[in-house]
Amino acid sequence: MTEAVTEPVRCGWVSSAPEYIAYHDEEWGRPVTGDDRVFERLSLEAFQSGLSWITILRKRENFRAAFAGFSIPAVAAFGEADVERLLADTGIVRNRAKIEASVANARAALDVGLSELIWRHADPDAPVPKALADVPAQTPGSKALAKELKSRGFRFVGPTTAYALMQAIGLVNDHLADCWVRGTY
């Protein structure tokens, strides 16, 4: 007799797409530090705005290649020719405002310790969500983070994008109470 394989309980936003499962199980909500690594996540969250996250996941390697591995000094040095190159790159999301925001954000990040700045807004005591309806789209912490980033010249970083970043890099743990990942890190 063969035993049925039971899938672990995951957060309700995870579809059966392998990219979503891997992202949820191995990355989402786990602490990310380091200026370039945080800059990558900030950039990808901005590119995701208005799109499905699966679109970004499927293009992530192309984004990394197109944006010099999200090296802050390299992206900060991008000029108009680079913007035009990126607008012609079918492997990424070709949106001028988002591309120009990424370059501007890299330039703004040169003047601050980006990882440290963002991690000051961590909320380890956020309530444990029991259902997707318990997960907010923005919080007072994400509003404060967005305000601070904007005051330092960052673009495409409203409170909702800031909260998605906070979730993605572990400033809050929004894995649902019954999700197998919740207590693993």
Side-chain angles (χ1 to χ4, degrees):
M1 180 155 65
T2 308
E3 287 188 39
V5 176
T6 305
E7 281 290 315
V9 175
R10 294 185 173 91
C11 297
W13 57 264
V14 180
S15 73
S16 62
E19 298 92 343
Y20 265 148
I21 293 170
Y23 179 69
H24 172 271
D25 291 0
E26 300 164 18
E27 292 183 61
W28 188 73
R30 296 180 188 267
V32 173
T33 58
D35 290 349
D36 289 347
R37 291 183 67 215
V38 170
F39 174 65
E40 174 182 357
R41 302 298 176 84
L42 175 67
S43 299
L44 294 177
E45 291 296 343
F47 272 101
Q48 183 274 330
S49 181
L51 302 172
S52 168
W53 184 245
I54 196 80
T55 300
I56 303 304
L57 285 177
R58 289 178 174 156
K59 293 178 176 278
R60 185 159 53 170
E61 289 307 316
N62 297 332
F63 273 109
R64 286 176 175 157
F67 282 89
F70 290 98
S71 161
I72 291 170
V75 177
F78 282 10
E80 187 55 36
D82 295 294
V83 171
E84 294 303 321
R85 170 184 57 83
L86 293 167
L87 285 169
D89 188 337
T90 59
I92 66 168
V93 174
R94 297 176 297 168
N95 177 298
R96 181 178 291 277
K98 293 176 182 182
I99 290 168
E100 289 176 347
S102 293
V103 175
N105 291 349
R107 291 175 184 155
L110 288 172
D111 297 330
V112 298
L114 184 61
S115 182
E116 182 181 322
L117 180 153
I118 289 176
W119 272 91
R120 285 196 303 251
H121 296 272
D123 188 2
D125 299 322
V128 177
K130 292 181 179 25
L132 284 178
D134 298 335
V135 179
Q138 55 184 261
T139 63
S142 74
K143 291 175 186 175
L145 174 57
K147 183 177 180 180
E148 182 167 1
L149 288 169
K150 286 179 184 182
S151 77
R152 294 174 179 269
F154 287 83
R155 295 170 20 196
F156 248 93
V157 288
T160 302
T161 298
Y163 194 69
L165 174 67
M166 292 170 75
Q167 292 172 304
I169 68 172
L171 274 71
V172 294
N173 183 350
D174 274 345
H175 285 282
L176 300 182
D178 63 348
C179 175
W180 79 269
V181 176
R182 179 149 190 96
T184 63
Y185 58 90

